[in-house]
Amino acid sequence: AQRVTQPEKLLSVFKGAPVELKCNYSYSGSPELFWYVQYSRQRLQLLLRHISRESIKGFTADLNKGETSFHLKKPFAQEEDSAMYYCALRVGGATNKLIFGTGTLLAVQP
Amino acid sequence: NAGVTQTPKFRVLKTGQSMTLLCAQDMNHEYMYWYRQDPGMGLRLIHYSVGEGTTAKGEVPDGYNVSRLKKQNFLLGLESAAPSQTSVYFCASSPSGRGNEQFFGPGTRLTVL
């Protein structure tokens, strides 16, 4: 079965603390994973994708095929990181369809 | 460029009424998608289109119909609205080609009484 699991509905941290947003997936093929972010009163936007191996706004995510995970990490949280974060798995061949997790709300306290 | 736009932003319907949500994109993208977002459920794909004149069912298509008569527009219809269709609806578009990102609209908040 194709599935994306984000076990935490809410993650609350203090400014400057490390952040790890968990994402696990179930997929029989070669996975392509993404993190999307939705800031308050803004539209959903791509944060990063695993194939790019990039760091965006200090966030990184490594695909671990053995643990079927794609956790999002940042060493020092900032208040402006507060948002809803969705992990997504590309399915459906060339159609670029995505399956989304249920999302994790990150709240960074001052 | 406006990117992906959605009309209307908000709507309240009574059970049994019909309505159409309009999504428009000015990026010449081949692929377009309709999602619904519900608390605790994330985003779920309703229908999608891989080109003008084509549509396909997603994860939760029941109760919805779509049309893609023009490349830049993707319409989502509710023929007989039900309270279970109360949700926030997002449209997205993507260039063709493997792994391209989806660009999202601002959403339409629909309440069915």
Side-chain angles (χ1 to χ4, degrees):
Chain A
Q2 302 164 342
R3 187 169 58 246
V4 175
T5 302
Q6 293 180 252
E8 303 141 328
K9 288 185 179 179
L10 171 67
L11 182 64
S12 182
V13 301
F14 287 104
K15 178 182 173 181
V19 171
E20 183 179 52
L21 299 170
K22 291 184 168 49
C23 172
N24 289 89
Y25 67 90
S26 174
Y27 188 59
S28 56
S30 183
E32 290 185 36
L33 286 137
F34 305 79
W35 278 99
Y36 280 79
V37 60
Q38 188 174 26
Y39 300 101
S40 179
R41 288 186 286 278
Q42 294 187 27
R43 60 186 70 192
L44 202 66
Q45 59 188 282
L46 178 68
L47 180 62
L48 55 79
R49 66 190 89 188
H50 91 271
I51 59 173
S52 300
R53 292 184 167 273
E54 58 202 345
S55 174
I56 303 292
K57 300 184 178 182
F59 285 98
T60 59
D62 291 319
L63 178 62
N64 186 323
K65 291 185 179 180
E67 296 184 357
T68 60
S69 68
F70 187 56
H71 302 329
L72 184 67
K73 299 177 183 179
K74 185 170 182 177
F76 307 104
Q78 300 174 346
E79 290 181 66
E80 53 265 34
D81 295 329
S82 296
M84 180 69 85
Y85 291 81
Y86 290 97
C87 182
L89 169 69
R90 198 183 75 83
V91 299
T95 64
N96 286 335
K97 287 193 301 179
L98 296 174
I99 291 179
F100 285 85
T102 51
T104 298
L105 179 63
L106 174 64
V108 181
Q109 310 295 333
Chain B
N1 287 349
V4 180
T5 58
Q6 292 182 230
T7 308
K9 290 185 169 56
F10 304 94
R11 186 72 186 269
V12 178
L13 290 178
K14 294 181 179 178
T15 297
Q17 287 184 318
S18 64
M19 78 163 294
T20 300
L21 281 66
L22 171 63
C23 176
Q25 52 96 4
D26 60 3
M27 297 174 283
N28 201 35
H29 287 170
E30 288 294 328
Y31 301 164
M32 295 186 76
Y33 315 83
W34 274 109
Y35 295 90
R36 59 178 290 173
Q37 182 186 45
D38 301 292
M41 304 288 285
L43 278 81
R44 293 179 292 168
L45 183 64
I46 305 171
H47 286 281
Y48 65 99
S49 168
V50 296
E52 182 178 312
T54 73
T55 63
K57 293 180 180 179
E59 200 181 342
V60 288
D62 293 344
Y64 306 95
N65 56 74
V66 288
S67 64
R68 183 103 181 264
L69 298 179
K70 293 183 179 180
K71 186 177 183 179
Q72 62 268 33
N73 295 337
F74 195 29
L75 277 63
L76 178 71
L78 286 73
E79 289 187 349
S80 179
S84 60
Q85 294 178 303
T86 293
S87 187
V88 180
Y89 292 86
F90 288 99
C91 176
S93 70
S94 166
S96 59
R98 189 182 175 96
N100 282 312
E101 77 176 270
Q102 292 186 16
F103 294 84
F104 283 80
T108 295
R109 185 174 294 276
L110 175 66
T111 301
V112 183
L113 302 176

